[in-house]
Amino acid sequence: MDRDQILLTPGPLTTTLRTKKAMLKDWGSWDADFNQITKRIRSQLLSIIHGHDDYVVVPMQGSGTFSVEAAVNSVLPPNGHLLVLDNGAYCKRMATLTNKMGRKATLLSFNEREPVSPDALKKALISDASITHVGLIHCETGAGVLNPLKEISDICKEFNVGLIIDAMSSFGALPIAARDIQFDALISASGKCLESVPGMGFIFIRKAILESMQGNSQSLSLDLYDQYQYMEKTGQWRFTPPTHVVAALAEALNQFEEEGGQPARLARYKDNCKTLVNGLAKIGLEPFLDEENITPIIVTFLAPKYDQYDFKSFYNAVKEEGFILYPGKLTEIETFRVGCIGAINHKEMRQVVASMKYVLEQMAVVK
Ligand SMILES: *Cc1c(COP(=O)(O)O)cnc(C)c1O
């Protein structure tokens, strides 16, 4: 059937028809009409974190990782040293891209089932004075654990080290307010909780560090200082913008505001998460994390305990029913993941639970 499947993945995700329709128009990248869209988006994004006084926001072409790489590469000086608080795959990726950009990165590793520990960070900062910045993944999409933003931010402030936050999968859904926390850079992207299409990221940067960023970048295209300066001067993106993606994000942001902003979005995702976890519990599928660590962004489930189970067949059968799942990202235990985000509500969640039940019954019968 020529109908979109429901994406239960942490981006790209299911978007509304209104968002998709916004991509049907061509825009000139130098044109004043397009520059107006960029300007409005930047202002709306800053409003979400109440950051107009102390922060700027710089959009960047590419997938979310491009923006994380741009942030590390633009904020850290060449002799900077980033301590990454590690409880999963995206943390390790941040350390890898930091090394690729020629900076020193150290991992402070924790159990991937649990949030990172502020006390351990404190000890690390006391014992190693060469650390200039801390890298934190707000919601570690690998297992779905939420990390303690405020506590980590307070410690970084106390020790006078910079903080770079990958808030890719949390921004827009979980509360992040610039008046409560301080950071040097915070990164997210169009195709996550803002429920638009993938293709661009954006980085909030504290105004107080902007000038110190000049000349840090080891890359021409991923230089946030230059991207910012050029945009301020001309209203344009420095290199070709993903015009259709920008137009879609503008429309998605309007819907975000109409829905009631971050609190309303979080409420819907919580409802999705509860419907999913309760529904799957009834058919014997248990979450990998303890209940208190589950975040209504993405939930990791232990693979069903059938001999016949393998993820690929399960995935394909659920896809036949109209739902796209996400593989697990844990190395030692077999799991699969289900996203709670996107333009979906508890109805789609009830439907996917019913589909998984049907598929597992079929799989168990065919011995
Ligand atoms: C989605 C995501 C990213 C970015 O991934 P891309 O594939 O580059 O878009 C980075 N960090 C986290 C925590 C994410 O969830």
Side-chain angles (χ1 to χ4, degrees):
M1 242 183 292
D2 183 17
R3 200 170 59 191
D4 287 350
Q5 281 144 333
I6 302 291
L7 302 181
L8 297 169
T9 59
L13 34 68
T14 292
T15 58
T16 64
L17 185 59
R18 198 171 140 191
T19 299
K20 286 189 267 274
K21 275 185 173 165
M23 293 186 288
L24 293 177
K25 195 170 147 66
D26 300 324
W27 298 89
S29 66
W30 287 51
D31 190 77
D33 293 346
F34 180 72
N35 295 343
Q36 262 322 104
I37 302 182
T38 301
K39 190 172 167 201
R40 205 179 69 234
I41 285 180
R42 291 177 72 200
S43 176
Q44 283 171 301
L45 289 172
L46 276 171
S47 296
I48 296 174
I49 63 162
H50 310 283
H52 282 277
D53 290 344
D54 299 320
Y55 292 83
V56 297
V57 67
V58 188
M60 177 55 74
Q61 298 92 330
S63 91
T65 306
F66 289 56
S67 284
V68 179
E69 199 153 339
V72 165
N73 162 62
S74 305
V75 170
L76 258 75
N79 61 356
H81 177 186
L82 182 74
L83 180 76
V84 181
L85 304 176
D86 165 29
N87 60 344
Y90 289 95
C91 308
K92 291 174 183 74
R93 185 187 294 178
M94 189 191 266
T96 304
L97 64 85
T98 302
N99 286 147
K100 290 261 184 196
M101 282 293 178
R103 271 71 163 204
K104 184 171 176 184
T106 304
L107 284 172
L108 182 60
S109 293
F110 302 89
N111 187 330
E112 60 192 348
R113 279 176 185 272
E114 289 164 10
V116 302
S117 151
D119 282 341
L121 169 63
K122 221 171 193 171
K123 286 194 192 108
L125 290 175
I126 290 168
S127 71
D128 187 349
S130 77
I131 296 162
T132 56
H133 294 78
V134 170
L136 175 73
I137 313 294
H138 187 203
C139 174
E140 201 355 301
T141 321
V145 176
L146 184 66
N147 282 315
L149 192 51
K150 167 91 175 119
E151 287 88 337
I152 300 295
S153 161
D154 286 348
I155 293 170
C156 290
K157 204 167 163 186
E158 181 191 337
F159 282 80
N160 199 24
V161 293
L163 175 61
I164 297 178
I165 304 165
D166 170 349
M168 206 68 69
S169 63
S170 57
F171 179 80
L174 299 172
I176 299 172
R179 54 176 178 258
D180 301 332
I181 55 162
Q182 179 179 294
F183 53 82
D184 284 0
L186 182 139
I187 307 121
S188 188
S190 54
K192 302 265 178 167
C193 298
L194 294 179
E195 298 185 354
S196 193
V197 298
M200 61 172 280
F202 45 88
I203 302 97
F204 297 96
I205 300 171
R206 188 150 54 92
K207 284 179 185 168
I209 72 150
L210 265 173
E211 281 315 309
S212 74
M213 287 165 50
Q214 186 170 12
N216 278 348
S217 180
Q218 312 284 298
S219 151
L220 176 72
S221 53
L222 298 178
D223 188 335
L224 292 179
Y225 182 80
D226 279 1
Q227 178 95 322
Y228 173 72
Q229 293 297 342
Y230 190 85
M231 210 168 254
E232 289 299 297
K233 223 179 329 172
T234 64
Q236 297 160 13
W237 296 53
R238 203 170 39 132
F239 304 127
T240 305
T243 45
H244 299 72
V245 173
V246 176
L249 179 59
E251 199 50 51
L253 277 166
N254 291 340
Q255 292 162 82
F256 175 80
E257 287 175 3
E258 288 163 24
E259 184 179 7
Q262 175 268 320
R265 194 139 295 189
L266 179 60
R268 176 157 57 84
Y269 292 170
K270 275 185 173 167
D271 193 32
N272 289 351
C273 183
K274 199 175 84 190
T275 308
L276 177 74
V277 171
N278 291 346
L280 290 187
K282 289 198 185 110
I283 58 170
L285 292 175
E286 295 295 333
F288 165 71
L289 296 176
D290 292 337
E291 200 179 329
E292 71 268 20
N293 288 328
I294 294 175
T295 314
I297 301 290
I298 188 163
V299 185
T300 301
F301 290 92
L302 299 170
K305 294 179 200 78
Y306 299 145
D307 291 344
Q308 303 88 325
Y309 176 85
D310 72 283
F311 177 72
K312 220 168 167 177
S313 324
F314 180 59
Y315 174 90
N316 285 332
V318 175
K319 179 179 169 184
E320 272 301 302
E321 299 299 304
F323 298 92
I324 300 290
L325 302 177
Y326 212 55
K329 213 170 190 163
L330 307 179
T331 40
E332 278 160 27
I333 313 174
E334 186 164 19
T335 56
F336 67 92
R337 287 180 289 173
V338 187
C340 304
I341 63 180
I344 51 174
N345 64 26
H346 60 264
K347 290 184 206 158
E348 280 82 12
M349 288 315 204
R350 277 207 297 267
Q351 288 161 7
V352 74
V353 167
S355 293
M356 284 193 218
K357 179 171 187 276
Y358 169 75
V359 163
L360 289 174
E361 279 165 4
Q362 301 294 310
M363 283 174 89
V365 164
V366 187
K367 289 212 168 116

